[in-house]
Amino acid sequence: MGFLLVLFIIICVVAYKTIKVVRQSEVYIIERLGRFHKVADAGLTIIVPFIDKVRSVVSLKQQTMDIPPQGVITSDNVTITIDTVVFYKITDPAKAVYEIQSLKKGIEYLAITTIRDIVGKMELDQTFSSRDQINDRLRVILDEATDAWGCKIDRVEIKDITPPADIRDAMEKQMNAERNKRALILEAEGERQSAITLAEGRKQAAILDAEADRESKIRRATGEAEAIKQVADAKAKEIQMVYDAIKQADPSDKLVQIKSLEALKEVAKGEANKIFIPFEATKALGSIGAISDVTKKRKNEE
């Protein structure tokens, strides 16, 4: 009974050592007698117990590495702290295990030295405005360096750039001054534009008023001229009609003188201070005066 129990335990140990189940997105590095034998993919894998050995379990997933914040001196002698994260994936598990002792340490140290080299050639203001450029250069350099380790660098992102406290205060003051400057410029520009707009409006209004007044005067003068013309035409027609009637009637001089006197009588009724008497009327008045003198003489003689 004891022998069977020992045999069962031995069989279980051998089965444990022989049968390996590899999970999805992982691979096993199998060594045989201390040398690399194969890479076991996901699924069931059989190995020779006590001869084959699982050296390492390698994940094929996208992995992230948070690089500790590093102090970097810029080209204008300002010490800033840069926090970086690296996204990488293992493409050759055997190289990742045998070509470097610690892949993560190698990526970390390489990222630190590369960041210091790139940022050290830039000024402080340039580091804030060139994050994408820094990220791309870091990714290219790290990808080329880690290719021999069976690793692919997908992305490098700078999470934060922290300048010293005094530099931050100076930058905040500078930004506030710049904001105030822009605000004053915008306000002055707005006032200038408003003044220009008002002046243009007044100018257009004055032009329109002048045009309207000119048009009104032109129309009024045109109307008055037309009215005068019409009156003149009517008077001319009346005069012509009178002249034609007189011509047709062929009046005697006595009748013309009598009609002149009647017209003179009507004129005298007006409010004018001065009266202009036609020459023909004066002849009639002279004749009347002569007749009056003759009549008076006859009365005296009687």
Side-chain angles (χ1 to χ4, degrees), residues 167-209:
I167 299 296
R168 287 201 303 271
D169 293 340
M171 291 175 64
E172 289 178 359
K173 291 179 181 178
Q174 181 181 0
M175 286 187 294
N176 289 331
E178 188 67 24
R179 290 193 189 98
N180 293 333
K181 175 184 175 182
R182 287 199 299 267
L184 291 175
I185 290 174
L186 291 174
E187 184 178 359
E189 184 64 25
E191 292 178 354
R192 172 178 169 274
Q193 192 64 36
S194 176
I196 291 174
T197 304
L198 291 175
E200 287 290 336
R202 288 193 294 268
K203 176 182 176 182
Q204 292 296 328
I207 292 173
L208 292 175
D209 290 340

Side-chain angles (χ1 to χ4, degrees), residues 18-236:
T18 303
I19 301 173
K20 299 294 182 181
V21 178
V22 182
R23 291 182 295 179
Q24 185 68 33
S25 300
E26 289 184 352
V27 293
Y28 284 7
I29 303 299
I30 307 297
E31 292 181 347
R32 177 166 291 177
L33 299 177
R35 298 181 62 182
F36 173 71
H37 176 56
K38 68 175 182 177
V39 176
D41 295 327
L44 184 65
T45 299
I46 304 298
I47 63 175
V48 179
F50 306 108
I51 297 178
D52 294 341
K53 177 186 176 183
V54 178
R55 165 67 186 273
S56 180
V57 179
V58 180
S59 175
L60 300 180
K61 296 178 181 179
Q62 180 84 43
Q63 300 184 58
T64 60
M65 178 184 297
D66 195 359
I67 307 299
Q70 299 296 316
V72 181
I73 300 176
T74 61
S75 61
D76 49 353
N77 296 322
V78 178
T79 302
I80 59 177
T81 302
I82 298 181
D83 193 3
T84 313
V85 61
V86 178
F87 299 84
Y88 70 96
K89 182 185 291 185
I90 295 175
T91 56
D92 191 334
K95 288 184 178 181
V97 173
Y98 292 105
E99 296 296 332
I100 187 170
Q101 184 175 1
S102 176
L103 180 62
K104 288 189 175 183
K105 287 293 182 181
I107 295 174
E108 179 181 338
Y109 294 150
L110 186 61
I112 291 172
T113 56
T114 306
I115 289 172
R116 289 178 177 173
D117 178 64
I118 294 174
V119 177
K121 298 177 182 178
M122 296 181 174
E123 295 183 354
L124 177 62
D125 294 338
Q126 191 177 2
T127 59
F128 292 108
S129 60
S130 304
R131 285 197 180 191
D132 292 338
Q133 181 182 353
I134 297 172
N135 293 336
D136 291 338
R137 292 183 62 185
L138 275 172
R139 185 194 63 78
V140 171
I141 294 173
L142 290 178
D143 189 45
E144 292 177 355
T146 58
D147 185 62
W149 303 338
C151 179
K152 173 70 176 176
I153 305 297
D154 292 329
R155 295 183 64 182
V156 179
E157 295 290 341
I158 294 178
K159 295 193 298 183
D160 190 21
I161 299 177
T162 307
D166 55 342
I167 299 296
R168 287 201 303 271
D169 293 340
M171 291 175 64
E172 289 178 359
K173 291 179 181 178
Q174 181 181 0
M175 286 187 294
N176 289 331
E178 188 67 24
R179 290 193 189 98
N180 293 333
K181 175 184 175 182
R182 287 199 299 267
L184 291 175
I185 290 174
L186 291 174
E187 184 178 359
E189 184 64 25
E191 292 178 354
R192 172 178 169 274
Q193 192 64 36
S194 176
I196 291 174
T197 304
L198 291 175
E200 287 290 336
R202 288 193 294 268
K203 176 182 176 182
Q204 292 296 328
I207 292 173
L208 292 175
D209 290 340
E211 289 290 335
D213 186 61
R214 174 176 170 273
E215 185 68 22
S216 176
K217 289 180 178 179
I218 290 173
R219 292 187 178 183
R220 187 182 301 112
T222 303
E224 291 176 355
E226 186 66 25
I228 292 172
K229 182 180 178 182
Q230 291 178 359
V231 172
D233 291 341
K235 292 295 183 180

